[in-house]
Amino acid sequence: MNGKTHFMGGLAACAAVETVTDGVDLSPLFYMGGMIGAFIPDICHVHSTIGRKLPIVSRIVSFLVGHRTFTHSLLFVGLVYGIMNVLLPDAYNLQMGLLAGICSHILLDMATVRGVKLFFPFPLRVRLPLFIRTGGKLEGFVRIGITIWLAIWAYQYIGEWM
């Protein structure tokens, strides 16, 4: 998936978490974390949105682990969670937002032809039964679908809030 789709996916993941948790102590920082987290797994790809912003880090990670391996795995999610608990122990909203964004990124990339190495370091690639080509027309429809769902969710959420 491309950066725009991941961005919308990060927002949608945060909206889904807020719906499930009934908005328990969530703040705008939660959504900011989700938007940032949606880009983090692609640090392993030098031409990605985050890879272009942090080219040296991206080249190192890409060289060490390749694309859609470690940074697209459950091991990575657990490692990020552990690091955030040490570095940001009191930033619950940011932690949960980042994790929601990272998980949405991985799930969206599981819907692509190549899939991801979800159980890294094991070589098994995981993809969803229905998958699309990154950057293709179907990805645009996926992004539009996510955007429509978010608009409906926001309308309902704001309606309850007022």
Side-chain angles (χ1 to χ4, degrees), residues 5-16:
T5 305
H6 283 305
F7 178 81
M8 296 307 293
L11 282 175
C14 287

Side-chain angles (χ1 to χ4, degrees), residues 20-149:
V20 171
T21 63
D22 202 22
V24 177
D25 296 328
L26 298 177
S27 72
L29 194 56
F30 172 70
Y31 283 89
M32 288 176 52
M35 290 182 280
I36 294 166
F39 293 105
I40 289 174
D42 270 348
I43 192 66
C44 62
H45 190 286
V46 295
H47 299 293
S48 68
T49 302
I50 192 169
R52 289 189 309 268
K53 301 287 183 206
L54 302 168
I56 295 171
V57 174
S58 182
R59 288 189 191 284
I60 291 169
V61 174
S62 179
F63 175 76
L64 292 175
V65 296
H67 185 47
R68 291 191 183 171
T69 61
F70 172 66
T71 61
H72 287 68
S73 71
L74 295 175
L75 178 63
F76 181 72
V77 174
L79 183 66
V80 169
Y81 178 72
I83 290 171
M84 286 190 302
N85 275 326
V86 170
L87 297 179
L88 305 166
D90 298 325
Y92 174 80
N93 284 301
L94 181 60
Q95 288 180 12
M96 292 302 107
L98 284 168
L99 289 173
I102 289 170
C103 289
S104 77
H105 181 109
I106 294 169
L107 182 64
L108 283 169
D109 278 357
M110 286 171 59
T112 64
V113 175
R114 288 188 54 214
V116 301
K117 290 191 179 176
L118 187 63
F119 303 106
F120 182 87
F122 301 106
L124 174 71
R125 282 201 177 269
V126 178
R127 72 176 183 196
L128 299 177
L130 297 174
F131 51 89
I132 61 175
R133 188 173 52 85
T134 300
K137 288 183 181 182
L138 284 176
E139 182 178 347
F141 289 118
V142 168
R143 185 171 50 252
I144 289 169
I146 292 170
T147 304
I148 290 170
W149 181 84

